[in-house]
Amino acid sequence: MSFIDKIRHALTVPAFILIGIVVIIAGYSERQTSQAIADHGKAVSAQIESIEWKEKGLSKKESGFKATIQFETEDKQQISTTVTVSKDVGQKIRDNDELTELPIKYLPEDPNKVVLADHEDDSGFMFAAGAVLILIGVGIFIYRRKKVQLAQNPA
């Protein structure tokens, strides 16, 4: 086994577990923000300044649409920020010059926390994905331990 293979072998389990924990923390943050916006978020119409996206591969597959928006809060503060939009919405913004506004919700105490007005909480999926990653890491660890034990103590 080469040095690189040994490092990869040693880092696989911690990587799965660490990434799982990060995804769960991100899910917790998503849940907190979604609940706060649902509880006391303010709905406004934001002006679309620009739209950005990524193109991947030879097929130029589009993804990662982000709209740069500007809006005014209740206390007349001008906010300029970005909001992630779905591929469908992003393509509509890009292809239709007449589409200049997006309905959004923001947190009054932190106006830079913005979601689309029809935003759905994805934290449940993130919790599940994080748990699966951790279970995969633990499963690999247990499998490797059993494999070593069997190699050391053949029956």
Side-chain angles (χ1 to χ4, degrees), residues 80-109:
S80 183
T81 189
T82 60
V83 64
T84 301
V85 296
S86 68
K87 182 178 179 179
D88 293 339
V89 172
Q91 288 174 334
K92 285 178 187 174
I93 294 169
R94 180 194 62 204
D95 298 337
N96 186 352
D97 290 336
E98 294 177 12
L99 185 56
T100 60
E101 294 184 346
L102 273 178
I104 62 159
K105 289 183 181 178
Y106 71 93
L107 281 178
E109 64 271 17

Side-chain angles (χ1 to χ4, degrees), residues 46-47 49 69-73 75-82 104 106 110-114:
Q47 300 297 316
E49 294 178 349
I69 58 172
Q70 185 174 9
F71 64 96
E72 186 174 88
T73 63
D75 59 356
K76 307 296 182 205
Q77 182 182 5
Q78 290 292 326
I79 302 293
S80 183
T81 189
T82 60
I104 62 159
Y106 71 93
D110 186 0
N112 287 312
K113 287 197 177 184
V114 176

Side-chain angles (χ1 to χ4, degrees), residues 14-139:
F16 269 105
I17 293 172
L18 184 62
I19 292 169
I21 291 169
V22 168
V23 170
I24 288 172
I25 291 169
Y28 178 77
S29 176
E30 166 76 14
R31 172 159 294 163
Q32 295 297 100
T33 300
S34 292
Q35 286 177 343
I37 287 177
D39 180 46
H40 61 277
K42 302 296 180 183
V44 296
S45 188
Q47 300 297 316
I48 302 169
E49 294 178 349
S50 65
I51 186 79
E52 296 177 12
W53 65 93
K54 296 177 186 169
E55 293 181 357
K56 294 183 181 178
L58 296 174
S59 64
K60 303 279 187 184
K61 183 178 177 183
E62 299 172 336
S63 65
F65 283 87
K66 290 187 179 204
T68 302
I69 58 172
Q70 185 174 9
F71 64 96
E72 186 174 88
T73 63
E74 279 184 331
D75 59 356
K76 307 296 182 205
Q77 182 182 5
Q78 290 292 326
I79 302 293
S80 183
T81 189
T82 60
V83 64
T84 301
V85 296
S86 68
K87 182 178 179 179
D88 293 339
V89 172
Q91 288 174 334
K92 285 178 187 174
I93 294 169
R94 180 194 62 204
D95 298 337
N96 186 352
D97 290 336
E98 294 177 12
L99 185 56
T100 60
E101 294 184 346
L102 273 178
I104 62 159
K105 289 183 181 178
Y106 71 93
L107 281 178
E109 64 271 17
D110 186 0
N112 287 312
K113 287 197 177 184
V114 176
V115 296
L116 295 178
D118 62 353
H119 172 75
E120 293 183 16
D121 182 7
D122 293 330
S123 62
F125 171 76
M126 294 172 86
F127 290 141
V132 167
L133 288 169
I134 291 171
L135 287 174
I136 289 171
V138 170

